[in-house]
């Protein structure tokens, strides 16, 4: 049976320090390179702008009636309507 390799405490500490330094350098490099590109501002279509205004009106009316602590239920318009989910989400999150 082969003898197990014995490493001194100093060798373990040095190896640990090298791995930590490599991890910090790798993290810094990844953080610097992963900055997301800014999302271009797409103009909101007329149908989406109308829908967003309607949703904001409904939310304002619910707030006036004291129902601002609940979850609003929004219904979709007609089946062929433009998908305005991203634009609505951006508006409600305050991104625009």
């Amino acid at each position: 049976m082969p003898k197990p390799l014995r490493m001194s405490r100093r060798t373990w500490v040095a190896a640990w320090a090298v791995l930590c330094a490599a991890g910090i350098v790798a993290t810094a490099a990844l953080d610097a390179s992963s900055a997301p590109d800014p999302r271009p501002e797409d103009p909101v279509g007329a149908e989406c702008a109308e829908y967003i205004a309607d949703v904001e009106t409904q939310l304002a009316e619910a707030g006036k009636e004291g129902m601002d602590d609940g979850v609003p239920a929004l219904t979709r318009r007609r089946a062929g309507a433009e998908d305005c989910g991203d634009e609505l989400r951006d508006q409600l999150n305050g991104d625009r």
Side-chain angles (χ1 to χ4, degrees):
M1 182 183 239
K3 284 186 176 182
L5 293 175
R6 293 186 46 97
M7 295 179 68
S8 69
R9 184 172 295 170
R10 186 177 297 167
T11 306
W12 279 109
V13 170
W16 177 80
V18 168
L19 288 175
C20 286
I24 290 171
V25 169
T27 300
L30 288 173
D31 285 343
S33 69
S34 66
D37 294 333
R39 196 169 108 190
E41 291 290 326
D42 294 332
V44 177
E47 188 174 337
C48 286
E50 181 183 337
Y51 180 65
I52 290 171
D54 185 40
V55 167
E56 288 178 339
T57 303
Q58 291 176 20
L59 291 174
E61 288 174 3
K64 287 179 187 176
E65 295 173 6
M67 297 185 298
D68 56 348
D69 58 345
V71 177
L74 305 173
T75 59
R76 297 204 180 260
R77 291 194 170 193
R78 61 189 182 281
E82 183 179 352
D83 182 20
C84 302
D86 292 336
E87 290 85 358
L88 180 62
R89 189 175 306 108
D90 289 344
Q91 182 68 29
L92 294 177
N93 287 337
D95 292 344
R96 290 191 181 176

